[in-house]
Amino acid sequence: QTGSANTNPSDSADDEYITSVSIGTPAQVLPLDFDTGSSDLWVFSSETPKSSASGHVTYSPSKSSTAKKLSGSTWSIEYGDKSSSSGDVYTDVVTIGGFSVKTQAVESATKVSTQFVQDTVISGLVGLGFDIGNQVSPRPQKTWFSNAASSLAEPLFTADLRHQETGSYNFGFIDTSLAKGTIGYTPADGSEGYWGFTATGYSVGGAKLNRNSITGIADTGTTLLLLPDNIVDAYYNNVESAQYDDSQEGVVFDCDEDLPSFSFGVGGQTITISGDLLNLTPIEEGSSTCFGGLQSSSDIGINIFGDVALKAALVVFDLGNERLGWAQK
Ligand SMILES: CSC[C@H](NC(=O)[C@H](Cc1ccccc1)OC(=O)N1CCC(N)CC1)C(=O)N[C@@H](CC1CCCCC1)[C@@H](O)COc1ccncc1
């Protein structure tokens, strides 16, 4: 069996990618953010304070004949951007891209932080990280993919995120036609719950790859490419107008600059992110100052190959072989 779901950028900055998910009987369809950087499936629900839930699609377990309360279970999660949510837990049928998991832990939010209240394009997250990262207590729950893996044709999924275009998450199969290059595989480290891996080197503007390895995570739930300061500096030294903007908390530059590409090596392949994928958006509507897609990871303590990097590739999250595959798109 397999599943295939379309995913769409949330706005002109490709800030988030939104995928429709069906929960319960009859199906309640919610727009969710698939996040390989976390391991909880949680949703805005009938238990979320009305003031917080306004503008969001919500899940009502009481309207689902297959919903069951997981009594005594609670959850609480905080993300890298300091957003947070918490609540209690139900199990229900969850269908993604035509594939159904009958008894999936659906974490219902009784509390959400301001960022989530304001972010009305999504009604929650589908964590696609490793089960060890699940935040339900007293008994941690499995992710939707972990529950699905044993019934899928192959225990893997692929992410094909695109700039201002519809992309896809495919489960149980690899559609190699989505990629131009060969898929290069490298071991994945799931010990922290993330999809950790090591890139073997990098280069700016099409130069030869150096051999400075970068250990980080492949994270669909993070917008930017977040790397060490020395790499960020080496990149922006090539951008005449680049400067650090305190209010934006990042490097900005003139929108009409021709940005160099950024390449990294992984699994014997070279993934090149074109300059225009690294020029995210004007810092404000109509501004001629743009915010960079490559920013520093120094205050997070972990390097993150987020959507800016993932958009350049077809990425295979291969749980069965504990490996990550990357192919140029
Ligand atoms: C340094 S992880 C920062 C990252 N959150 C982002 O990437 C957000 C995403 C967003 C949210 C709302 C509107 C627009 C964009 O976007 C930005 O932070 N930015 C984009 C816009 C830009 N102008 C400023 C910077 C993050 O916590 N991801 C987690 C999932 C995320 C949570 C928030 C909702 C969307 C999904 C997750 O994968 C990684 O969890 C951790 C990473 C490291 N240790 C702990 C947790």
Side-chain angles (χ1 to χ4, degrees):
Q1 289 183 36
T2 63
S4 181
N6 284 345
T7 190
N8 289 293
S10 60
D11 57 22
S12 59
D14 299 342
D15 273 320
E16 295 169 302
Y17 284 82
I18 299 166
T19 309
S20 286
V21 175
S22 293
I23 307 176
T25 312
Q28 299 179 44
V29 179
L30 276 71
L32 302 182
D33 187 351
F34 285 20
D35 179 24
T36 57
S38 67
S39 308
D40 287 61
L41 192 166
W42 72 266
V43 292
F44 276 72
S45 72
S46 47
E47 300 176 328
T48 312
K50 293 283 165 288
S51 53
S52 301
S54 105
H56 291 265
V57 179
T58 55
Y59 163 65
S60 298
S62 61
K63 292 183 185 151
S64 169
S65 60
T66 41
K68 287 191 187 62
K69 186 97 183 335
L70 198 61
S71 62
S73 291
T74 59
W75 60 282
S76 175
I77 194 162
E78 180 172 294
Y79 296 102
D81 55 19
K82 304 289 174 255
S83 60
S84 61
S85 49
S86 60
D88 52 21
V89 188
Y90 293 80
T91 59
D92 209 339
V93 56
V94 176
T95 302
I96 294 176
F99 186 94
S100 295
V101 168
K102 291 203 176 17
T103 315
Q104 173 63 41
V106 179
E107 300 169 35
S108 163
T110 56
K111 233 169 100 190
V112 290
S113 66
T114 315
Q115 182 183 297
F116 286 116
V117 172
Q118 292 167 345
D119 188 12
T120 52
V121 291
I122 61 168
S123 292
L125 267 63
V126 175
L128 294 172
F130 288 76
D131 287 343
I132 193 170
N134 182 263
Q135 301 294 300
V136 172
S137 77
R139 285 177 308 287
Q141 300 297 306
K142 287 173 174 269
T143 67
W144 182 87
F145 172 62
S146 172
N147 282 321
S150 50
S151 315
L152 287 168
E154 292 180 274
L156 59 81
F157 65 92
T158 67
D160 171 23
L161 304 185
R162 295 180 177 239
H163 172 59
Q164 293 300 288
E165 264 189 78
T166 298
S168 64
Y169 284 98
N170 291 332
F171 296 91
F173 72 103
I174 301 172
D175 177 357
T176 50
S177 74
L178 295 175
K180 282 201 198 84
T182 314
I183 301 173
Y185 287 97
T186 192
D189 168 14
S191 59
E192 304 284 311
Y194 307 122
W195 287 86
F197 74 102
T198 298
T200 51
Y202 67 89
S203 72
V204 176
K208 198 167 156 324
L209 287 185
N210 64 25
R211 306 171 69 75
N212 302 12
S213 64
I214 312 168
T215 296
I217 66 172
D219 184 2
T220 58
T222 289
T223 310
L224 306 176
L225 170 57
L226 303 170
L227 295 178
D229 287 334
N230 66 305
I231 298 179
V232 175
D233 295 346
Y235 179 79
Y236 287 114
N237 283 344
N238 297 275
V239 182
E240 183 73 32
S241 60
Q243 57 184 336
Y244 189 83
D245 179 322
D246 286 323
S247 66
Q248 294 296 321
E249 291 186 326
V251 179
V252 301
F253 41 77
D254 293 350
C255 294
D256 54 14
E257 286 249 24
D258 254 345
L259 291 184
S261 61
F262 181 84
S263 300
F264 59 96
V266 62
Q269 299 300 318
T270 297
I271 304 299
T272 296
I273 308 168
S274 66
D276 49 12
L277 282 183
L278 287 156
N279 183 345
L280 268 197
T281 45
I283 55 173
E284 277 138 30
E285 196 63 33
S287 164
S288 65
T289 302
C290 278
F291 191 78
L294 169 60
Q295 298 292 345
S296 167
S297 62
S298 56
D299 55 7
I300 301 147
I302 179 173
N303 298 313
I304 302 186
F305 292 78
D307 300 337
V308 161
L310 301 171
K311 274 179 260 184
L314 173 70
V315 187
V316 183
F317 295 81
D318 183 343
L319 182 65
N321 297 298
E322 295 261 327
R323 65 183 184 171
L324 268 171
W326 292 78
Q328 183 75 36
K329 237 168 22 206

